[in-house]
Amino acid sequence: MGLVQLHLPAFQVIVPMLAAPLVMLMARSPRAAWATATLTSWLTLAIALLLLIRVRAEGVVAYHMGGWLPPVGIEYRVDSVNILVLLVICFISAVVMPFARLSVASEVREDKHGYFYAAFLLANCGLLGIAITGDAFNIFVFFEIAALASYSLIATGRERQAVMASYQYLMMGTIGTTFLLIGIGFLYIMTGTLNLLDLAERLPAVNDTRTVRAALAFIVVGISLKLALFPLHLWLPNAYAYAPSMVTVFLSATATKVAIYVLMRFIFGVFGHELSFNVLGMNLLLMPLAMLGILIPSIVAIFHTNIKRMLAYSSVAQVGYIILGISFASTLGLMASLLHLFNHAITKAALFMALGCIAYRLGGVSLIHMTGAGQRMPWTMTAFVIAGLSLIGVPLTAGFVTKWHLILAALDGGLWPIAVFVLGTSVLALLYVWRVVEVAFFRAPLRRMKVREAPLSLLLPTWFLTLSCLYFGIETSLPVGLAERAAEVLMGGYR
Amino acid sequence: MEWFGLYNYWIVVVLMMVGFYIVIAQGNLIKKIVGLNIFQTSVFIFFISLAKLEGGTAPIHVAGVSDYSNPLPHVLILTAIVVGVALTAVGLALVVRIHELYGTIEEDEIHAQDEA
């Protein structure tokens, strides 16, 4: 095995980390900064694909940082679960970077581009680190790296509310990660280890103690803040609505998804579903919250006229579907959640990219701006509609695949009211997507606006993701196979 | 007196609640950051306390000594302190920007401006 092959897990995190200061040095030449960041994001995607090949061949790729063996040293551990998350992050960042050149140029001051792309790479590095590491404290550190970079990215938004949104995110995000740190401390007291694999082995002996249960409580609440589980989602709508388009695309597709992965890893992998669900009855907490989290933000979304904010509320609702799948505590439910993690990342990224095109040409993303946009920007709006159909869960789109599996999982668990609920709430998604379609396609443009179709470098990435929504709705074997394998691994604890 | 033996942990709980309360109840953005720092510091003290072994000495190898404090939590908290400093810096930088853009750092006044 070549040297590169051997150190792939380390490269996955180190490449964007080292590229970030390099990009920052190019602050004077926005073009060079963008080109370097783009190449880096493609390189990380290539590394993730190579890792996928190794995971398929070997099952688990374990890497010992600096050659220190696990309980003492930090271990990077790639298995069927986190390779899925790594692929999502790398795929989205590789697609969003070509989109970024024009979009960022129109939304962020030029002298800040170098810093902007550096922060983007650091956020990328942090998210990849959270997903890849097998060490509990390392997860906390990478959470903060990703978060700090995201705060500065959000604060570059054009409107002044962006800075305030970033501040609020900082407050809630820090409380979330500090809760996680307290939980990790409790686990360390009881087991004397921080390695996730080691924790999973040693916890069953001390499961009955109040300390371990408090640890679970702190960790679940802390991560729920990060993944925007209703009612802890208050930071999300403003952060997504005021961030530059490219940041919204990237964060909506990756940041909450990685937090969801960590939640799955802790409650299934480390604590085990036996303790989390059968003994402590976490499904009784997660299921109602997930359902409220689907229902209320979906209804709120219907009444928002800022479409970016509307989609942000829709993101909270979609997180609800993923948590709903987790709360079934079954292999099928987990599989549906993992599938939705993948499919929703693509769908929401495509939607926010289409909005980015609209913002680029029309200068705003309110419903009024989009009057008659279907005639002026047919390609952009068609992409929006197709991705919107995927959001609703119409057959032949990626969104349908996950809704289908979620309903199957609900029926399998004997929870037919929930299956009905999932179908019923899809109508709410139809309502808020329809408002845009109606305004954009069935109304004539108000003024004689001389608006042309968005430029090709914005349209191509948007359509690439839109076609992915269709592709993964028809040819489902890749994500379904990955998710099935991952769900089996998670249900079996940590191996 | 067992509760007195847990003196450190009581302090941790009190500091944590004080910090958390400031974050929630204060409208001044700088004071919120101060509260956040107190909240984080309580967690640091918690980690340092759990590393202490009764009768143990500093974790440096000395002949004739067999009990040492656990150095690992110290190292973890060193990292967490760095993270905390970075967070405070970013938070304060954001407050400076907010003051430039709104002319105030009181939360209610900012919301009033946004709604106007």
Side-chain angles (χ1 to χ4, degrees), chain A residues 149 183 396-397:
Chain A
L396 297 182
T397 60

Side-chain angles (χ1 to χ4, degrees), chain A residues 13 16 121-131 141-143 145-147 258:
Chain A
V13 178
L121 287 175
L122 283 177
N124 205 351
C125 151
L127 293 171
L128 290 168
I130 299 168
V141 175
F142 276 121
F143 251 126
I145 293 177
V258 171

Side-chain angles (χ1 to χ4, degrees), chain A residues 28-39:
Chain A
R28 283 193 183 170
S29 162
R31 207 84 201 224
W34 169 79
T36 316
T38 308
L39 282 179

Side-chain angles (χ1 to χ4, degrees), chain A residues 72 109 112 137 140-141 144 148 151-152 155 159-164 166-168 170-171 174-175 177-179 181-182 184-186 188-189 192 194 218, chain B residues 16 20 23 29-30 32-33 36 39-40 43-44 46-47 50 70 72-73 76 79-80 83 86-87 90-91 94-95 97-98 101-102 107 110-111 113-114:
Chain A
V72 177
R109 254 172 49 198
K112 284 187 185 164
F137 188 76
F140 161 76
V141 175
E144 289 294 23
L148 282 166
Y151 304 148
S152 42
E159 285 139 293
R160 62 179 182 176
Q161 285 97 324
V163 189
M164 198 56 202
S166 168
Y167 180 88
Q168 272 166 342
L170 183 139
M171 281 291 151
T174 308
I175 289 168
T177 43
T178 310
F179 267 45
L181 186 60
I182 298 169
I184 292 169
F186 282 154
Y188 183 71
I189 298 182
L194 291 166
F218 271 112
Chain B
M16 193 181 285
F20 204 31
V23 172
L29 300 186
I30 298 270
K32 267 181 189 288
I33 290 180
L36 201 64
F39 180 63
Q40 286 186 313
V43 181
F44 301 162
F46 164 66
F47 266 78
L50 69 88
N70 185 348
L72 185 75
L76 297 183
T79 314
V83 169
L87 269 166
V90 172
L94 286 174
V95 175
R97 288 285 295 147
I98 289 169
L101 294 164
Y102 288 90
E107 209 174 19
I110 291 168
H111 288 310
Q113 281 192 36
D114 274 342

Side-chain angles (χ1 to χ4, degrees), chain A residues 274-308:
Chain A
E274 186 62 32
L275 173 72
S276 308
F277 293 103
N278 296 355
V279 180
L280 294 179
M282 267 219 325
N283 42 342
L284 298 178
L285 173 76
L286 290 181
M287 203 180 281
L289 285 183
M291 290 172 75
L292 283 176
I294 295 168
L295 200 61
I296 297 173
S298 294
I299 294 172
V300 171
I302 297 174
F303 295 101
H304 271 291
T305 49
N306 180 324
I307 301 304
K308 218 167 160 189

Side-chain angles (χ1 to χ4, degrees), chain A residues 158-426:
Chain A
R158 258 184 312 186
E159 285 139 293
R160 62 179 182 176
Q161 285 97 324
V163 189
M164 198 56 202
S166 168
Y167 180 88
Q168 272 166 342
Y169 185 14
L170 183 139
M171 281 291 151
M172 294 191 76
T174 308
I175 289 168
T177 43
T178 310
F179 267 45
L180 176 66
L181 186 60
I182 298 169
I184 292 169
F186 282 154
L187 289 182
Y188 183 71
I189 298 182
M190 294 312 291
T191 59
T193 181
L194 291 166
N195 185 288
L196 293 181
L197 190 64
D198 233 23
L199 276 173
E201 277 169 14
R202 294 189 196 181
L203 272 176
V206 287
N207 255 351
D208 296 333
T209 56
R210 210 182 292 166
T211 316
V212 170
R213 291 173 183 191
L216 179 64
F218 271 112
I219 289 173
V220 169
V221 173
I223 301 173
S224 296
L225 260 166
K226 296 295 289 185
L227 62 79
L229 175 64
F230 182 86
L232 304 173
H233 67 284
L234 294 172
W235 58 267
L236 188 141
N238 273 338
Y240 283 11
Y242 294 116
S245 304
M246 176 265 192
V247 176
T248 311
V249 174
F250 180 66
L251 290 184
S252 70
T254 56
T256 49
K257 307 293 176 294
V258 171
I260 289 166
Y261 156 76
V262 176
L263 184 70
M264 286 179 179
R265 190 58 108 189
F266 269 106
I267 61 181
F268 288 96
V270 176
F271 290 97
H273 65 279
E274 186 62 32
L275 173 72
S276 308
F277 293 103
N278 296 355
V279 180
L280 294 179
M282 267 219 325
N283 42 342
L284 298 178
L285 173 76
L286 290 181
M287 203 180 281
L289 285 183
M291 290 172 75
L292 283 176
I294 295 168
L295 200 61
I296 297 173
S298 294
I299 294 172
V300 171
I302 297 174
F303 295 101
H304 271 291
T305 49
N306 180 324
I307 301 304
K308 218 167 160 189
R309 184 184 283 272
M310 178 193 97
L311 288 179
Y313 273 103
S314 144
S315 272
V316 180
Q318 301 297 322
V319 165
Y321 285 112
I322 301 179
I323 301 296
L324 191 64
I326 293 177
S327 73
F328 295 159
S330 65
T331 313
L332 279 176
L334 255 183
M335 190 183 142
S337 289
L338 287 160
L339 266 176
H340 203 46
L341 195 149
F342 180 84
N343 288 338
H344 177 248
I346 298 174
T347 306
K348 213 19 106 38
L351 280 168
F352 275 123
M353 268 193 188
L355 274 191
C357 298
I358 293 163
Y360 182 79
R361 279 298 188 218
L362 301 172
V365 287
S366 281
L367 214 49
I368 306 161
H369 288 106
M370 293 162 83
T371 314
Q375 293 171 26
R376 306 288 181 189
M377 305 171 71
W379 285 97
T380 307
M381 290 317 295
T382 310
F384 187 92
V385 171
I386 294 173
L389 291 177
S390 177
L391 190 67
I392 299 163
V394 174
L396 297 182
T397 60
F400 174 72
V401 180
T402 46
K403 290 265 166 75
W404 174 251
H405 281 275
L406 198 61
I407 289 168
L408 281 185
L411 292 176
D412 183 67
L415 299 160
W416 64 266
I418 299 211
V420 175
F421 174 82
V422 170
L423 280 175
T425 47
S426 300

